[in-house]
Amino acid sequence: YMTLITSIMDNIPRIAKEHGKTPQEVVKMENFHHLHAGLAALKIQVLDNFKRDAKQRYTDSLHNYVTQYFGRPLEKVNQFFDGVSAKIAAGVREAEISYQLQFSKQELRKVLSAYPGKEVKKGLADLYRKVEKHLSEDENLLQVVWRAMQEELIRQYKYIEDLLQRCYPGAQISLDFSISNILEYFSDIAITH
């Protein structure tokens, strides 16, 4: 068992690189998920370390896939606030950020207006179709990946909202949608497909 499983674990990344059509992270994610499920079903104590390793590699591949393909659907907003974070790190006080020309309230409103809720939902629907094409139906990982992508967008949303509150207090500026809207978008898209 140990020789066989070691060989499988060593060759999954190699096969993932050679597979031209499907993204490497998907091949690794699905295969490590399948291997973990098989090892869990065997219930052989000697293989517990392999089971944990397969689970970790599956989790890492899932994270890498979400990071790589989900990216940042609010790209311009994220870039804007990455710049704000860089200014804060460089010593500019949070209360003075809005007085910087490139981070003024007008610039912020312009960037935020590019992402109305309807457009964000449309972009997420396109992403769902892409993810659906990447994943095989055999492993039933679509819901898992979709949930991970939802969590990533909520994390990005909280990051943006936090900086909005700290650097533009009382400005009455916010994103066009809320976390509950994000949850609704993800749910609606999953139901309709």
Side-chain angles (χ1 to χ4, degrees):
Y1 275 131
M2 293 171 81
T3 305
L4 179 63
I5 292 175
T6 300
S7 179
I8 291 171
M9 291 185 91
D10 290 345
N11 283 299
I12 288 173
R14 181 187 58 79
I15 291 169
K17 284 181 186 171
E18 294 172 0
H19 201 286
K21 197 172 184 181
T22 307
Q24 289 182 33
E25 297 304 328
V26 171
V27 173
K28 290 192 276 188
M29 176 177 55
E30 290 183 340
N31 283 290
F32 285 124
H33 178 263
H34 191 74
L35 179 62
H36 176 264
L39 291 171
L42 286 174
K43 296 181 182 172
I44 299 173
Q45 220 170 11
V46 173
L47 302 177
D48 280 350
N49 286 338
F50 288 106
K51 183 174 76 173
R52 278 190 291 279
D53 190 24
K55 174 77 171 177
Q56 184 60 50
R57 290 185 190 200
Y58 154 72
T59 304
D60 292 346
S61 298
L62 171 63
H63 175 74
N64 291 339
Y65 177 72
V66 168
T67 302
Q68 181 179 2
Y69 280 90
F70 187 67
R72 300 193 321 183
L74 310 171
E75 185 62 37
K76 291 176 185 171
V77 177
N78 278 306
Q79 287 174 347
F80 182 89
F81 281 104
D82 286 349
V84 168
S85 291
K87 286 287 186 184
I88 292 169
V92 176
R93 290 191 0 226
E94 291 174 356
E96 295 173 0
I97 289 291
S98 63
Y99 297 110
Q100 302 276 321
L101 185 61
Q102 75 250 36
F103 302 115
S104 68
K105 292 176 187 174
Q106 293 81 359
E107 287 298 312
L108 175 59
R109 284 188 181 99
K110 192 184 328 178
V111 170
L112 292 179
S113 69
Y115 295 96
K118 194 166 86 173
E119 287 300 313
V120 171
K121 185 175 181 180
K122 183 178 175 252
L124 291 173
D126 292 344
L127 179 66
Y128 187 89
R129 285 189 286 280
K130 185 191 306 184
V131 170
E132 202 171 28
K133 287 178 185 173
H134 287 164
L135 300 175
S136 72
E137 294 176 17
D138 300 340
E139 291 301 317
N140 292 324
L141 290 175
L142 182 59
Q143 288 179 338
V144 174
V145 171
W146 195 236
R147 171 95 175 155
M149 289 183 168
Q150 174 183 299
E151 290 169 2
E152 176 60 21
L153 182 57
I154 289 172
R155 188 194 63 72
Q156 290 178 20
Y157 180 92
K158 287 179 178 176
Y159 163 76
I160 291 165
E161 278 295 312
D162 176 55
L163 283 173
L164 263 172
Q165 297 305 315
R166 288 178 18 220
C167 299
Y168 301 90
Q172 306 275 318
I173 301 173
S174 66
L175 289 160
D176 186 46
F177 51 91
S178 65
I179 290 180
S180 62
N181 293 131
I182 292 172
L183 295 172
E184 182 183 314
Y185 299 159
F186 274 87
S187 179
D188 289 350
I189 291 167
I191 290 169
T192 57
H193 288 85

